[in-house]
Amino acid sequence: MSRSTKTVGEVLIDILEANGVDTVFGIPGVHTVELYRGLAGSKIRHVTPRHEQGAAFMADGYARVSGKPGVCLLITGPGLTNAITAMAQAQQDSVPMLVISGVNARATLGHGRGKLHELPDQRAMMASFCLMTHTLLEPGDLAEVMARAFTILGSGRPGPVHIEIPTDVMSAQIPATVPKAAPRLRPRGEKAVIEEAARLCAMAARPLILAGGGAVAAADAIGMLASRLDAPVITTANARGLLPGHPLAVPASASLHSVRAEIAAADLVLALGTQFGPTDYDVYVDGGFPKLDSVIHVDVDAVQLSRYPDSRVSVLSTVENAAADLLSLVPDVLPTRGGAERASLLRQSARSELSAKMQHEVAILERIRTALPGLIIVGDSTQAIYAGNLYYDADRPHGWFNAATGFGALGYGPPAAVGAALAEPGTPVVCLTGDGGLQFTLAEIGSARDAGARVIFLVWNNDGYQEIETYMIDNGITPEGVKPSAPDFVKIGEAYGLPSWRLDDISELEAALKSAAGHGGPTLIEVHERHTRGLRL
């Protein structure tokens, strides 16, 4: 017999299901157990990390690959503060994340009486970087608040949303109505604005497209538009794999001189879903990115459109909608602009601009890609990832992402790779992490095993924070604090029950990856710059 009422915690699970949530990440505690009351009877899978930061990083990786919000259930106080780093990374990289936390009972809020896990004002702390934060003081407001949260997550520029529920509200009884999915309001450019953008596209003699992370969902339409305009497509790190193998694709950073020269030579730049942030456009902080005189800037966020560059046409729209609208107006037959030749020359010049060491690292990344076609590489801040962000061509959308952009959080890779693997269980996922970064979230190897996540943890061991050590030396600073000791990662992997091995020679990499991919769960492979022959020039 159906019930006329349910607890807030039970209805919350119903609402999550109605909005397409199939996985949540969290560590249950006394401040959230009532949110779990309806979980066992639902179709939602619960994944338990070893740390709340890991929960939110998992949600991040899951969201990037699935396209759906990553969802966390966290206790009040330390559970939520542990996740702030990962939530801030999601804010920087525009990743949809829904964090539902506990908070102490309503009558205690703001009194500072030393309640367990108490903060002076938890919601105010989250308001500094969340798209929305709300304290559910009235149980009957649950459906309305959750609808607003999901609409925000699915409509404009994505990011973290936070809902906190007091412990006494979680167990309150409310009507057990059938929840509905929240509306997604995807902006579309005004007709006159799109028409002007199409006119400029048709007139351009040397057009060029800059595609950021906000463009990935529109890969097919962008490919058709680029072909029609005969325009090279330069992708930021978060857009790599947008047009795999396409003759117009240029998987190179706009921080490289050759790429900047091509951008400067364009008479029209079509900027799609990109923030023009320094970690993509000025990674060396030399201020050398060219001034753009003729830009069509497409973004879902009006605030982003108000920032650099001063665009000729600003289009408030999803990239999917804008690309489709432009395709309907730009003529099918346009004069050739030499786009494929420009793109080919730019790929060659951009790659040759890398140091010999970086070119070697990119070649190893390409060996990984060749060994496991269609794979996802989830990176941490390590030297091979830095090289790949400058130049690497993923062979699929969402096939390359990492924490070495935007907020730049170490320890991102292992839990984010777990989330990615759970979003696409049949896809090979390689977590490329350094010995330093892995130790930030080392225990999430155990979470991967519990969840059966088929992640290959590829540990690039260079005995410390080599990137920082090199930076210190280059700037005349005696290196200090850059040699943290590391455990035997193979033994650590084996202790968690993972098949684990260390390569003697880099020539063994492809076979090792294929063997690891055939395993039914997580594995670990270590390559060491001093002990693996061929890893370092």
Side-chain angles (χ1 to χ4, degrees):
M1 185 173 68
S2 62
R3 295 160 53 193
S4 61
T5 64
K6 291 183 178 181
T7 67
V8 165
E10 290 173 308
V11 175
L12 172 68
I13 299 301
D14 291 342
I15 291 172
L16 294 179
E17 276 196 304
N19 283 277
V21 175
D22 56 23
T23 305
V24 298
F25 304 91
I27 302 174
V30 295
H31 287 73
T32 55
V33 289
E34 281 297 335
L35 299 182
Y36 283 73
R37 186 175 292 278
L39 195 57
S42 74
K43 297 178 182 178
I44 298 175
R45 178 181 187 178
H46 183 274
V47 177
T48 307
R50 297 300 187 267
H51 189 279
E52 288 89 359
Q53 184 185 88
F57 278 147
M58 288 179 190
D60 178 303
Y62 176 89
R64 294 191 199 225
V65 173
S66 70
K68 300 189 293 186
V71 180
C72 299
L73 299 179
L74 306 177
I75 66 166
T76 184
L80 185 60
T81 57
N82 280 345
I84 284 178
T85 296
M87 294 174 71
Q89 180 82 41
Q91 189 274 335
Q92 284 276 355
D93 281 357
S94 303
V95 176
M97 182 183 296
L98 175 60
V99 174
I100 301 167
S101 78
V103 71
N104 285 313
R106 288 171 289 183
T108 71
L109 297 181
H111 290 290
R113 294 171 180 156
K115 296 284 290 184
L116 181 66
H117 301 333
E118 184 178 58
L119 285 168
D121 191 338
Q122 184 171 275
R123 191 203 65 79
M125 175 181 68
M126 306 308 290
S128 66
F129 65 93
C130 286
L131 300 178
M132 165 191 170
T133 179
H134 184 91
T135 307
L136 187 71
L137 298 175
E138 294 296 329
D141 291 342
L142 176 66
E144 178 186 343
V145 170
M146 293 303 296
R148 179 155 51 98
F150 276 106
T151 296
I152 289 171
L153 286 165
S155 298
R157 179 189 175 194
V161 165
H162 169 242
I163 308 296
E164 61 179 18
I165 305 179
T167 52
D168 59 321
V169 172
M170 294 179 190
S171 57
Q173 294 283 330
I174 58 176
T177 56
V178 178
K180 297 180 180 179
R184 298 173 74 242
L185 309 174
R186 307 296 282 163
R188 190 163 220 132
E190 296 178 5
K191 183 174 182 291
V193 173
I194 293 290
E195 287 175 344
E196 175 61 9
R199 185 185 69 82
L200 294 174
C201 286
M203 289 176 55
R206 195 181 177 93
L208 182 140
I209 296 173
L210 299 177
V216 178
D220 292 341
I222 292 172
M224 289 187 285
L225 183 61
S227 295
R228 190 171 298 182
L229 298 176
D230 199 17
V233 181
I234 297 169
T235 50
T236 67
N238 281 330
R240 295 293 167 76
L242 181 77
L243 301 175
H246 197 289
L248 291 168
V250 182
S253 171
S255 295
L256 298 172
H257 296 301
S258 54
V259 179
R260 289 174 168 182
E262 183 63 34
I263 294 170
D267 63 348
L268 178 70
V269 172
L270 182 57
L272 305 175
T274 184
Q275 299 178 42
F276 289 94
T279 52
D280 283 315
Y281 291 90
D282 194 16
V283 70
Y284 296 114
V285 199
D286 59 12
F289 187 75
K291 183 180 184 301
L292 304 180
D293 295 322
S294 185
V295 179
I296 299 170
H297 194 182
V298 178
D299 205 281
V300 295
D301 186 355
V303 175
Q304 287 297 331
L305 292 174
S306 72
R307 295 176 175 143
Y308 177 85
D310 185 11
S311 304
R312 189 164 176 181
V313 177
S314 296
V315 185
L316 182 61
S317 173
T318 65
V319 176
E320 302 98 300
N321 286 341
D325 290 344
L326 286 172
L327 280 169
S328 71
L329 295 174
V330 173
D332 290 341
V333 181
L334 289 171
T336 181
R337 283 90 178 262
E341 182 181 2
R342 290 162 55 203
S344 177
L345 291 172
L346 186 52
R347 288 193 295 269
Q348 295 173 43
S349 59
R351 184 166 185 147
S352 66
E353 193 177 325
L354 303 181
S355 67
K357 175 180 177 295
M358 284 187 168
Q359 290 187 46
H360 180 65
E361 290 163 348
V362 170
I364 293 174
L365 295 176
E366 290 169 344
R367 293 171 75 167
I368 298 170
R369 184 190 64 200
T370 299
L372 301 174
L375 89 162
I376 298 169
I377 296 180
V378 182
D380 218 302
S381 293
T382 193
Q383 289 192 315
I385 293 296
Y386 297 135
N389 281 348
L390 288 175
Y391 192 101
Y392 172 71
D393 191 9
D395 64 358
R396 54 156 286 171
H398 304 298
W400 174 269
F401 58 88
N402 55 77
T405 62
F407 203 56
L410 268 171
Y412 170 87
V418 172
L422 296 178
E424 281 193 23
T427 299
V429 176
V430 171
C431 170
L432 184 53
T433 181
D435 54 299
L438 177 55
Q439 291 184 76
F440 275 60
T441 49
L442 183 62
E444 302 306 348
I445 291 175
S447 305
R449 186 191 179 198
D450 288 351
R454 298 175 67 177
V455 177
I456 303 169
F457 295 97
L458 181 56
V459 187
W460 192 298
N461 191 337
N462 57 21
D463 295 317
Y465 302 133
Q466 193 176 96
E467 186 74 15
I468 303 303
E469 181 178 4
T470 300
Y471 187 87
M472 285 179 160
I473 293 170
D474 289 347
N475 286 273
I477 301 169
T478 302
E480 187 66 51
V482 293
K483 291 292 186 184
S485 60
D488 185 320
F489 291 109
V490 172
K491 289 182 179 178
I492 290 286
E494 290 173 343
Y496 275 112
L498 275 62
S500 306
W501 54 97
R502 183 178 298 109
L503 302 188
D504 293 322
D505 195 288
I506 197 61
S507 64
E508 303 165 3
L509 180 60
E510 289 93 331
L513 288 168
K514 290 176 181 178
S515 176
H519 183 68
T523 54
L524 185 146
I525 301 170
E526 183 188 61
V527 293
H528 196 289
E529 288 204 353
R530 287 190 294 110
H531 303 306
T532 302
R533 291 184 298 276
L535 183 65
R536 184 170 66 178
L537 285 177

